[in-house]
Amino acid sequence: ESIFNRAKYPERVRVGVTDQVDDEDAKCGEPIVACDIDPEQALCRFKDQIDVFEVEAKYSVGPVFARHVGHRLYRGEYFASQVDAHVSFVKDWDVDIISQFLRVGNEMAVLTTYLSDITGALDETTGLSLKKSRPIMCKSDYERGGGGKHLRHGQQPEGLPSKKAKR
């Protein structure tokens, strides 16, 4: 819900969800409580801005497939982002990320990050970030497992950015 509740302009946000579910799983496209009982839930207030593609888990082939399907839900929005379901958004995240993009000064730029651990990172009352650091990714290597090699990213302790953005 933080994607809508913490956006400065939630009416501009559209969400496409690939939901890989088993029979006993809660479904991402269904509110926890019926909308006629609690209409303030994001799934009720913004239902026209949310598309859910449901895949039975037994037919799914993992996160890469889910991301592919998620990208197919793109409908020509000027900005697009791909995040996992466990991501929590900070207050005014939408204007912040567009501001970062505009400061780059390159319409073909791609902003990317490896998200920090959420524990202790957000003030739940204000929605503001409590951290000014970012993860440092430099311990990447190939691992064996599951019938082949795959890239595993290790993470060093977080640090403050070494360069400031041009303003």
Side-chain angles (χ1 to χ4, degrees):
E1 292 211 356
S2 68
I3 193 167
F4 290 107
N5 294 339
R6 292 190 179 141
K8 183 164 189 154
Y9 301 104
E11 68 279 4
R12 297 179 183 174
V13 176
R14 183 180 159 277
V15 174
V17 177
T18 305
D19 194 9
Q20 302 174 95
V21 296
D22 281 324
D23 292 335
E24 63 276 355
D25 288 343
K27 297 182 178 186
C28 291
E30 296 176 4
I32 295 168
V33 178
C35 289
D36 56 344
I37 296 170
D38 185 3
E40 291 305 307
Q41 298 168 94
L43 277 172
C44 303
R45 290 187 358 232
F46 301 103
K47 66 182 177 215
D48 294 336
Q49 294 164 238
I50 303 169
D51 293 319
V52 178
F53 184 85
E54 211 171 88
V55 180
E56 288 186 53
K58 65 183 176 184
Y59 298 123
S60 183
V61 289
V64 173
F65 170 75
R67 288 183 183 112
H68 166 75
V69 172
H71 284 292
R72 305 279 300 181
L73 295 172
Y74 172 72
R75 295 294 177 261
E77 294 80 9
Y78 192 74
F79 292 102
S81 180
Q82 185 272 312
V83 298
D84 292 338
H86 57 83
V87 171
S88 291
F89 290 81
V90 297
K91 184 178 186 326
D92 297 339
W93 67 268
D94 51 336
V95 293
D96 182 43
I97 201 165
I98 291 171
S99 171
Q100 290 179 44
F101 174 80
L102 293 174
R103 284 195 315 256
V104 171
N106 179 344
E107 67 179 24
M108 301 302 286
V110 174
L111 302 181
T112 184
T113 189
Y114 189 87
L115 298 176
S116 298
D117 184 6
I118 191 66
T119 307
L122 288 176
D123 181 321
E124 291 298 327
T125 304
T126 65
L128 297 174
S129 176
L130 299 173
K131 289 186 173 185
K132 300 298 178 210
S133 60
R134 44 95 174 123
I136 300 169
M137 301 300 297
C138 62
K139 292 174 60 178
S140 299
D141 202 359
Y142 285 97
E143 291 184 348
R144 290 207 175 273
K149 285 185 173 182
H150 64 276
L151 192 59
R152 169 72 64 191
H153 297 292
Q155 181 177 336
Q156 291 185 343
E158 295 197 6
L160 294 174
S162 60
K163 286 180 99 173
K164 291 192 176 206
K166 293 179 184 176
R167 298 200 188 239

